[in-house]
């Protein structure tokens, strides 16, 4: 298996992984989306809410605010020593007090842990007018996307590495003109310059010009975009750690079954 980083900037990572199959590629994707945990607000207790929005709507909005996550400091509640009762190792408190005219932003949430703050401080929560006030305490926990998508760390998907079959009827000149920002044609061979732009639309253009496109069953382009709670590197490392844990658990149960 070989890995080549194709793009790594801000919260986006694109890489080529060679020598695997669809099963492994999809397993990695599902682990990222459904099993890599992040912090999100789970419960909200309102002391005061005279805004135009009901408590339930505000609680829903607060739950969707991405929070910076420190995986070393927090446990999943069902894996915590407190056995899910709630403690400093599995829960985090945030407070919000806002009143009078103006928009209330995520940056106004005050966290008991300085490392856990909203990823996007300018995310709006609600607009208040004169004499309106919000006062609340929120509880954030570590959770997984398989239970609620607010606990998902990002977007992950993949596609087979494209292989191009050129024949005597292929119109390479026209393809080069139409897709000059995405591909390079040299010695009757086509090379993709930017896989972040590559999609099915370009494949259709190639096929219209008599160039067959085959997607590999062993080499894959993997796309990962983090919502900001964790870096792309942290997401991948945690996904691989979870994969190892599941394989160890499977091996253990298999031995007991003999």
């Amino acid at each position: 298996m070989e890995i080549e980083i194709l793009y790594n900037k801000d919260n986006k990572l694109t890489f080529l992984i060679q020598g695997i199959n669809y099963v492994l590629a999809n397993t990695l994707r599902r682990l990222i989306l459904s099993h890599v945990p992040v912090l999100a607000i789970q419960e909200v207790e309102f002391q005061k809410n005279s805004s135009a929005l009901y408590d339930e709507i505000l609680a829903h909005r607060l739950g969707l605010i991405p929070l910076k996550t420190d995986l070393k400091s927090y446990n999943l509640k069902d894996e915590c020593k407190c056995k899910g009762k709630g403690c400093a190792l599995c829960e985090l408190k945030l407070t919000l007090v806002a009143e009078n005219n103006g928009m209330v932003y995520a940056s106004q949430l005050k966290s008991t842990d300085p490392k856990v703050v909203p990823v996007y401080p300018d995310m709006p929560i609600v607009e208040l007018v004169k004499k309106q006030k919000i006062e609340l305490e929120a509880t954030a926990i570590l959770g997984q996307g398989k239970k609620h998508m607010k606990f998902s760390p990002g977007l992950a998907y993949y596609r087979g590495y494209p292989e191009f079959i050129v024949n005597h009827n292929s119109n390479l000149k026209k393809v080069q003109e139409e897709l000059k920002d995405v591909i390079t044609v040299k010695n009757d061979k086509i090379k993709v310059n930017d896989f972040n732009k590559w999609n099915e639309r370009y494949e259709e253009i190639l096929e219209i010009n008599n160039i067959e496109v085959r997607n590999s069953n062993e080499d894959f382009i993997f796309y990962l975009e983090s919502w900001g709670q964790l870096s792309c590197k942290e997401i991948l490392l945690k996904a691989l750690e979870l994969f190892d844990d599941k394989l160890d658990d499977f091996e253990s149960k298999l031995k007991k079954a003999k």
Side-chain angles (χ1 to χ4, degrees), residues 90-105:
C90 64
E91 288 187 350
L92 168 74
K93 300 294 183 180
L94 302 101
T95 57
L96 174 62
V97 178
E99 58 185 325
N100 294 328
N101 295 337
M103 183 65 71
V104 180
Y105 294 97

Side-chain angles (χ1 to χ4, degrees), residues 77 80-91 139 141:
K77 292 197 75 171
C80 190
K81 294 179 180 178
C82 71
K83 298 181 180 179
K85 294 179 180 179
C87 68
L89 294 176
C90 64
E91 288 187 350
T139 302
I141 65 170

Side-chain angles (χ1 to χ4, degrees), residues 78-193:
D78 54 3
E79 297 178 4
C80 190
K81 294 179 180 178
C82 71
K83 298 181 180 179
K85 294 179 180 179
C87 68
L89 294 176
C90 64
E91 288 187 350
L92 168 74
K93 300 294 183 180
L94 302 101
T95 57
L96 174 62
V97 178
E99 58 185 325
N100 294 328
N101 295 337
M103 183 65 71
V104 180
Y105 294 97
S107 59
Q108 293 172 250
L109 282 165
K110 304 302 179 185
S111 171
T112 54
D113 184 346
K115 292 181 292 185
V116 181
V117 295
V119 174
Y120 307 105
D122 294 332
M123 181 177 284
I125 298 174
V126 64
E127 186 173 7
L128 301 179
V129 297
K130 190 175 181 180
K131 294 184 179 181
Q132 288 186 338
K133 182 177 181 179
I134 290 177
E135 186 175 344
L136 60 87
E137 181 180 71
T139 302
I141 65 170
L142 205 62
Q144 296 173 307
K146 64 181 181 179
K147 294 185 177 179
H148 196 292
M149 282 306 294
K150 68 182 179 181
F151 294 116
S152 187
L155 172 67
Y157 64 98
Y158 61 88
R159 64 172 71 244
Y161 188 85
E163 301 170 347
F164 308 106
I165 313 301
V166 178
N167 57 57
H168 65 281
N169 293 320
S170 300
N171 194 339
L172 290 173
K173 184 177 180 180
K174 187 176 179 181
V175 165
Q176 175 70 84
E177 290 174 355
E178 291 189 31
L179 306 180
K180 59 184 178 181
D181 295 332
V182 183
I183 68 170
T184 298
V185 179
K186 186 177 181 180
N187 298 327
D188 291 342
K189 293 187 180 296
I190 298 173
K191 178 184 177 183
V192 178
N193 298 325

Side-chain angles (χ1 to χ4, degrees), residues 53-68:
L53 298 183
Y54 295 121
D55 292 357
E56 294 87 347
I57 298 175
L58 277 177
H60 183 263
R61 286 191 172 191
L62 291 166
L64 296 177
I65 295 175
L67 301 174
K68 285 285 185 181

Side-chain angles (χ1 to χ4, degrees), residues 216-228:
S216 174
N217 293 323
E218 296 180 350
D219 305 331
F220 300 89
I221 305 294
F222 215 98
Y223 302 86
L224 174 60
E225 181 179 356
S226 167
W227 302 147

